[in-house]
Amino acid sequence: MSTSIAPSLIPQPIELNPINGTFELSADSTIAFADEAARQPAELLATQLRPATGFKLPVKPNTKGSIVFQTQKDPALGPEGYELRVTSHISIEAPSVAGLFYGSQTLRQLLPPEIYASKKISKGWTIQGVEIRDLPRFRWRGMHLDVARHFMPKKEVLHFIDTLASLKFNTFHWHLTDDQGWRIEIKKYPKLTTIGAWRKETLVGHNDDRPRRYDGLCHGGFYTQSDLREVVAYATERHIRIVPEIDMPGHMQAAIAAYPELGCTEHPLEVMKEWGICKNILNLEESTFQFCKDVLTEVMDLFPSEFIHIGGDEAEKEQWEASERIQDLRKKRGLNNMQAMQSEFIQRIADFLKSNNRRLIGWDEIAEGGLAEKATIMWWRGESLGNVGFEIAKKSVQNGHDLVIAVNSHLYFDAYQSMDPHEPLAIGEFIPLESTYSFEPEIEGLNHTEAAHILGVQGQLWTEYMPDIEKVEYMAFPRACALAELAWLPKKKKNFATFLRRMQMQEKRFAATGVNFRKSKSVMPHTTAP
Ligand code: TNX
């Protein structure tokens, strides 16, 4: 028997003990589900193991099999925990289907990394005996992806979601609209995609570079409603909820280019070609509010998520201040300033979502000028303690609002990963892997009830400087692996040195599945691949 080396798992399970025995996956292996609820994760695992092994892996209702899935009733495992035991057979048990799925993803990682390949590989598929009992620290383990600045084809998004699920993320925040492109088909407003999904050309280089240069190439694309239903179904099978974002009332230039009556100025606009904060903003006429409701109605029809993200960030008030019509509206509604106008707008959208049994989530600016009852905050302005974003985040949880921590100080993966001058173009800042790993998603001075409002953590992928999925993956990985671990593992169990060692194996998995990661070896040159 070979000496047993600790398996390289990401995220690391909270409890793992080597035991006697060796399991071998072979052409004769079978997968069983002991109860009907366990069928789906059993079948999904079979489809995930077949390509690389070339084995049939029949899936049957049974209490016996090479790999047996079974639901059980251990309340201590919570809604996402599981137990996995490997001897000459494997059992995966959990109180929930999600837990069974996470057990199956740990099992995949216990196999040689080539198991992630999409073509048959001839090799021995063995696992050393091990017992794992595992559950996550946070219930919101999110990754965000901006497909507005650069469109990413459906097939690539599906692969990205599969990778996230293998790292036990459970939330995919899909930023579908922005000034530079509208990516979601809305039947009632076809020009959002016939016009709003396309921009004439794109800025070359950094937004701060002068003189400005453009590529002269039309860029765009969008997802049809049938595409979106397919992506939602694919994510749901992998226990990932998709939180769609329709950013309003700012970040709406693509929509205003398609329907000028939504805007504040008389000048015609085109879909934006540069990056940065844009002054063009929705007007607040009743007809515009109706537009937002109509769009959200179709969004809710496509996305079953309880949370609907309405953006709310960087809404520049200049055009509101300058517009007589909007000033009249403000007076008619008895509001003191433009901040109050924004709050009222968000409140009305929140009420609308609530009347449809959904919950509003928005960037931390939605709390400026008073916060809609029950709204959930996504805290992004985290540059320093005591800044406006931090104050809002802290006050919000103290007032009973739920919070997702998505701070740009540690969790913005559009920042540079190293100071190396050869590092490909990024937005700026410097967030190395270690900084993300060491991040503690906590707010000091909260009592237990207040702290319970912190739902979890999320990484951001703004794609101004990521023209395709290869660049997205390069910027996302390995930092998203660090995030997956800090979202899963209690603070005292985190360990950056073993994380880096385990990353060596994760890189082989990425290589097998065709993920374009940035090598983390350079951070710790003395580690050698096993
Ligand atoms: C700020 S974060 C934005 C995005 C940009 C990002 C670039 C947030 C809510 N808004 O529109 O893409 O910075 O890092």
Side-chain angles (χ1 to χ4, degrees), residues 144 146 149 175 178-180 245 247 251 275-277 309 311-314 363-365 378 380-381 406 408 412 414-415 427 460-465:
H144 151 285
D146 165 12
R149 270 54 178 271
H175 185 80
D178 216 303
D179 301 309
Q180 296 85 358
E245 179 183 353
D247 206 339
H251 289 280
W275 317 124
I277 301 176
H309 204 300
D313 57 313
E314 301 175 328
W363 299 108
D364 58 49
E365 287 99 327
M378 193 165 263
W380 73 278
R381 290 175 296 176
N408 56 357
Y412 266 42
D414 56 348
I427 197 162
Q460 276 51 244
L461 285 163
W462 298 105
T463 58
E464 288 95 331
Y465 303 100

Side-chain angles (χ1 to χ4, degrees), residues 458-476:
Q458 183 175 288
Q460 276 51 244
L461 285 163
W462 298 105
T463 58
E464 288 95 331
Y465 303 100
M466 303 179 207
D468 51 35
I469 199 77
E470 281 75 31
K471 183 77 179 281
V472 166
E473 291 172 348
Y474 177 88
M475 298 304 283

